[in-house]
Amino acid sequence: MRRFLAFAKKEFRHIMRDPRTLLILFGIPVIQIIIFGYVVTNEIKHVPIVIIDRSHDETTRLITDRILASPYFETVTNTNTGKNIHQWFKKGNVRLTVVFDRQFGKKLIKSGVAQVQVIADGSDPNAARLMVGYLSGILAQAQQEINKQYGMVNPVGIESRMEFNPELKGAFMFVPGTIALIMMLISAMMTSISIAREKEMGTMEAMLVSPLHPLQIVLGKVVPYVAIAFLDAVIILALGQVIFGVPVKGNLVLLLGEVILYIILSLSLGIMISTMSPTQMVAMFISLFVLMMPTILLSGFIFPIENMPEALQWLSLVMPPRWFIIIIKAIMLKGAGLMFVWKETLVLIAMTFAFLLISIKRFTIRLE
Amino acid sequence: MIHIRKVYKSFGEVNALSEVSLDIQDGELFVLIGPDGAGKTTLFRMLVTLLVPDYGSIEVNGLDVVENFRQLRTKMGYMPGTFSLYPDLTVEENLEFYASIFGTTIRKNYDLIRDIYKHIEPFKKRPAGKLSGGMKQKLALSCALIHRPEVLVLDEPTTGVDAASRKEFWIMLKKIQQEGMTIIASTAYMDEAVRGDRSGFLHQGKLLMADTPGKIREEYPYPMYSCRSENNYALLQAIRAESSTATALLFGKTIHYSPVKEDFPVEELMSGLEATGKYGRITCEKTKPELEDSFSYLSKGIERSETQSGMTE
């Protein structure tokens, strides 16, 4: 035990004395959560729009007010001619245009039918779809208000509600995904590199000639990273809650337990990689291309698994982050208990044992 | 006792060691000499249980390096060719780490390393990466000694270290030997062959000789002259061109020259060469062969027999 503690102490010293390692361990999680939270968001906010009002009556003013009251849109101009629309769109300083027909209010009250034209910048199709969707929602609400005002009967009203994420915030998706990504990065990549470094420097040679059991060597290397990865997970969860309002609806203890399980899984993966890599370069290469890319692309972090070709869907089954993301989304956002995620948890446990078994088999007690 | 019995080791197509047999006594300081790539590191790695011989066996103090590797690992001190220190840890932290993985403390065995460690102790708060070559070497030796091993194996401990530190290092080893430790060190510097009780000469994976420096000198079959001139390089070429010459080697500022026959008239040859005026004054005197002469003779013998057998095939 004393030997093991001495080993862990040495490993902590390596980490604390290398500014680059420290930056990777503590800087990247914070930077990444902020980048994902703010920049790589697919929400829309403060979209510049132009309202072309050819009617200028009470109803159009009411609708305009409602549009501008939402956080999604803000006007560039309010005009009554649509001459320069194309110019504006080309310049890019306008992304959406709303056109009210002449005599809009009168027509609406008289016949119950009036035309609103919505023109969106379709060069970014996802954003365009979202903008039009948000605007339709606002228009539908305004219409109900107007109908009430004039004592008219409402047609079928659709009242939609987004369960678990009523405001459709991107952060709800990115916080769990970032935890999965960062844990993988720190646990798997950093440990595999640090073990490969000992091989490269020749210190592994001196260590193997000591009475240390290989298991002690590996555990000593890994334990500091468990602590750091766990700390990172807590930081990400806290930032997610404070900055982006991502809640932890479920049991916090269960959530942290699952995080620890996933950290151990990633570490065993890292150990397995290190048994295959003679140098730091190889360890880094394997970690980046075999772990990071699939984590981002195939785990359902960014792209929905249901939309993938069938072969890739099968491949995603062996991606540990896929299962972990399901688990933490369920616990954090839906407040699910262990009853709902025990299957995924079992998959993670099985994977951990598999990786550990392979690592122990491959970990050499000698140099060949 | 260390018994090395007919050990073979190859890496793919390369035969690193072939039929190496060697006995080393308890408390002996044994020096293994050989050029780069001779197989010294491979032999040492097998000694310290890091590699397994393809054929043959190695026993260290009654324990087999393959079967009983775990017991052996508590009794060996090993200093790899790379020094294996952590550059970001301080001198003290390095030593402390190696002490703790062997289950001991610096204080317990301080008396053993005191003479070596006191040179670097003033810098104990300095990262090991910022030490000079000589200090790194002393620290690495301290780390290998800190658990008071029975057998100390040092892989080229003097490579990359200045001449003064090299000399000092062998004196330190002599002192450690007084503690009853068996020490095996390798070197690529021929002049360090005399530092041990016995030396072995490893050449292309074969152990050509292992004996005391005196005995190795006696094995040299030719008379030996040490010659000086004003143009040694040209003179060397001229001597080598003579059919009566067995070997001629540059040795510092002199030429070590051996004629084939004991009664060869060296004076006559030299005065003949002097008369050409190309070499200035030439003086030759009879001398004893150095270890280097013997090793050179032995390794040439191997190469000779190899080319001959190659031609007959």
Side-chain angles (χ1 to χ4, degrees):
Chain A
M1 193 61 200
R2 247 195 37 232
R3 284 176 193 177
F4 168 73
L5 283 181
F7 207 106
K9 195 162 108 192
K10 176 208 115 199
E11 211 50 43
F12 263 118
R13 281 178 174 150
H14 286 319
I15 295 167
M16 292 305 161
R17 283 185 197 163
D18 185 13
R20 275 180 308 174
T21 309
L22 275 182
L23 188 71
I24 292 177
L25 292 180
F26 294 106
I28 287 187
V30 174
I31 293 167
Q32 222 164 31
I33 189 72
I34 289 173
I35 288 178
F36 278 141
Y38 279 119
V39 185
V40 196
T41 170
N42 47 19
E43 306 158 38
I44 52 165
K45 266 179 195 157
H46 310 299
V47 173
I49 67 169
V50 168
I51 293 173
I52 298 167
D53 192 347
R54 294 190 173 119
S55 176
H56 273 300
D57 56 41
E58 215 175 311
T59 38
T60 61
R61 265 197 293 279
L62 182 135
I63 294 172
T64 306
D65 283 348
R66 290 294 172 274
I67 292 173
L68 298 182
S70 81
Y72 311 120
F73 305 106
E74 55 192 29
T75 36
V76 180
T77 36
N78 195 332
T79 160
N80 50 18
T81 158
K83 259 192 216 154
N84 302 322
I85 290 182
H86 281 281
Q87 225 63 35
W88 293 333
F89 272 116
K90 266 185 195 161
K91 275 189 194 156
N93 46 13
V94 167
R95 302 192 48 205
L96 194 74
T97 306
V98 181
V99 187
F100 293 106
D101 216 354
R102 270 179 228 285
Q103 315 260 299
F104 181 87
K106 267 186 202 157
K107 279 188 194 162
L108 185 67
I109 294 160
K110 217 189 264 169
S111 61
V113 179
Q115 298 293 325
V116 177
Q117 191 185 21
V118 177
I119 306 165
D121 176 356
S123 57
D124 180 348
N126 271 332
R129 217 169 289 139
L130 276 171
M131 292 185 293
V132 173
Y134 282 9
L135 194 76
S136 311
I138 294 169
L139 285 177
Q141 255 180 349
Q143 192 186 354
Q144 286 185 16
E145 252 180 81
I146 293 164
N147 284 352
K148 226 189 235 165
Q149 232 173 343
Y150 293 94
M152 286 189 279
V153 189
N154 269 328
V156 179
I158 299 171
E159 191 182 315
S160 62
R161 192 162 66 112
M162 296 299 167
E163 191 67 12
F164 307 125
N165 186 1
E167 293 163 63
L168 288 179
K169 281 188 187 166
F172 279 49
M173 184 170 105
F174 285 116
V175 168
T178 308
I179 292 179
L181 188 67
I182 295 287
M183 296 300 108
M184 200 53 116
L185 177 84
I186 289 173
S187 310
M189 188 165 104
M190 296 307 279
T191 47
S192 64
I193 287 178
S194 107
I195 294 178
R197 187 190 299 140
E198 300 248 5
K199 287 190 195 172
E200 226 172 85
M201 289 199 313
T203 44
M204 191 57 107
E205 202 176 332
M207 220 145 47
L208 282 174
V209 188
S210 79
L212 278 181
H213 194 277
L215 211 63
Q216 283 175 306
I217 298 180
V218 167
L219 282 182
K221 288 227 79 111
V222 152
V223 161
Y225 289 97
V226 174
I228 290 169
F230 185 72
L231 191 63
D232 274 333
V234 173
I235 291 175
I236 295 172
L237 283 176
L239 282 179
Q241 184 142 26
V242 173
I243 304 182
F244 303 109
V246 181
V248 178
K249 284 193 182 146
N251 188 332
L252 189 64
V253 177
L254 175 65
L255 179 67
L256 294 181
E258 295 279 2
V259 167
I260 291 174
L261 172 63
Y262 182 67
I263 290 172
I264 294 172
L265 167 73
S266 310
L267 287 172
S268 47
L269 199 55
I271 295 168
M272 192 176 85
I273 292 173
S274 74
T275 62
M276 299 170 182
S277 7
T279 63
Q280 297 180 65
M281 278 303 286
V282 178
M284 178 113 94
F285 185 83
I286 298 182
S287 305
L288 278 180
F289 290 92
V290 183
L291 289 184
M292 305 301 292
M293 298 307 281
T295 300
I296 296 174
L297 299 177
L298 290 180
S299 66
F301 172 18
I302 294 177
F303 307 108
I305 293 168
E306 295 79 16
N307 294 357
M308 293 175 193
E310 204 170 336
L312 288 181
Q313 287 195 30
W314 282 103
L315 190 60
S316 81
L317 288 179
V318 296
M319 298 291 152
R322 171 193 169 149
W323 304 100
F324 179 65
I325 287 176
I326 294 176
I327 293 173
I328 59 167
K329 269 190 182 167
I331 299 175
M332 284 176 70
L333 308 179
K334 304 183 189 171
L338 189 58
M339 284 296 290
F340 295 92
V341 291
W342 65 272
K343 271 189 226 154
E344 287 80 6
T345 308
L346 271 186
V347 172
L348 290 188
I349 292 175
M351 283 178 166
T352 309
F353 274 106
F355 291 141
L356 278 179
L357 215 65
I358 297 170
S359 313
I360 289 172
K361 277 221 152 156
R362 288 192 53 108
F363 195 89
T364 46
I365 48 170
R366 297 196 172 85
L367 281 181
E368 6 165 51
Chain B
M1 273 286 275
I2 297 172
H3 289 287
I4 300 172
R5 282 281 157 271
K6 292 193 173 171
V7 161
Y8 288 80
K9 181 80 193 173
S10 56
F11 299 105
E13 293 286 295
V14 184
N15 288 318
L17 290 175
S18 43
E19 211 186 339
V20 173
S21 293
L22 177 66
D23 280 348
I24 295 167
Q25 303 300 320
D26 284 342
E28 191 177 348
L29 172 55
F30 188 91
V31 180
L32 188 67
I33 305 268
D36 286 337
K40 302 186 297 285
T41 299
T42 305
L43 184 61
F44 278 15
R45 282 181 171 165
M46 285 198 271
L47 264 180
V48 298
T49 75
L50 286 179
L51 290 176
V52 176
D54 292 345
Y55 303 101
S57 67
I58 301 177
E59 259 182 33
V60 178
N61 290 3
L63 295 168
D64 188 273
V65 295
V66 182
E67 300 280 308
N68 311 106
F69 75 95
R70 216 163 268 298
Q71 284 143 280
L72 258 183
R73 284 181 180 181
T74 59
K75 302 180 177 186
M76 297 278 231
Y78 175 46
M79 186 171 147
T82 49
F83 285 172
S84 54
L85 300 166
Y86 295 97
D88 54 332
L89 297 188
T90 66
V91 169
E92 198 178 24
E93 285 164 352
N94 266 291
L95 193 58
E96 193 183 279
F97 172 68
Y98 279 107
S100 64
I101 63 172
F102 280 95
T104 183
T105 58
I106 300 178
R107 210 185 314 151
K108 238 189 215 164
N109 290 318
Y110 187 75
D111 59 299
L112 184 66
I113 59 162
R114 185 193 295 121
D115 286 343
I116 307 159
Y117 190 56
K118 71 177 181 212
H119 297 283
I120 41 176
E121 210 164 9
F123 314 104
K124 65 181 182 184
K125 299 283 178 214
R126 189 182 288 187
K130 295 203 170 129
L131 296 177
S132 70
M135 287 204 275
K136 269 187 196 153
Q137 174 205 42
K138 288 191 184 85
L139 177 57
L141 180 62
S142 302
C143 290
L145 276 174
I146 193 64
H147 60 292
R148 203 177 276 279
E150 294 173 13
V151 178
L152 186 60
V153 179
L154 311 169
D155 192 3
E156 298 204 15
T158 52
T159 298
V161 174
D162 61 280
S165 298
R166 276 168 54 194
K167 208 170 161 190
E168 198 185 350
F169 188 78
W170 289 104
I171 296 169
M172 288 189 293
L173 286 190
K174 276 278 177 201
K175 267 192 192 158
I176 299 165
Q177 195 193 2
Q178 307 299 311
E179 303 271 337
M181 212 173 276
T182 310
I183 303 173
I184 309 160
S186 67
T187 176
Y189 300 111
M190 288 282 185
D191 58 307
E192 293 185 340
V194 293
R195 301 285 182 181
D197 300 325
R198 287 194 303 151
S199 328
F201 183 58
L202 198 62
H203 183 78
Q204 294 177 356
K206 294 191 178 78
L207 188 67
L208 298 185
M209 165 158 279
D211 220 323
T212 60
K215 280 268 174 54
I216 293 174
R217 283 199 191 99
E218 279 171 29
E219 297 279 326
Y220 192 72
Y222 306 118
M224 173 61 72
Y225 294 87
S226 172
C227 301
R228 285 167 179 276
S229 77
E230 278 153 38
N231 190 348
N232 274 350
Y233 190 71
L235 181 62
L236 185 72
Q237 305 299 325
I239 295 176
R240 278 186 177 163
E242 297 289 325
S243 60
S244 59
T245 300
T247 70
L249 277 179
L250 265 184
F251 205 92
K253 286 183 176 162
T254 66
I255 293 169
H256 272 195
Y257 157 59
S258 293
V260 178
K261 286 194 181 114
E262 186 68 44
D263 53 358
F264 182 78
V266 174
E267 296 283 318
E268 239 171 73
L269 172 68
M270 292 304 159
S271 47
L273 287 171
E274 214 175 52
T276 63
K278 286 186 205 162
Y279 319 102
R281 225 180 91 74
I282 304 175
T283 54
C284 280
E285 53 187 30
K286 190 119 197 228
T287 182
K288 279 186 177 169
E290 295 290 330
L291 285 185
E292 194 168 342
D293 299 312
S294 303
F295 292 147
S296 159
Y297 166 71
L298 286 169
S299 57
K300 287 226 176 86
I302 283 285
E303 278 154 21
R304 263 198 303 277
S305 69
E306 267 173 6
T307 44
Q308 271 164 18
S309 66
M311 273 153 66
T312 51
E313 265 169 26

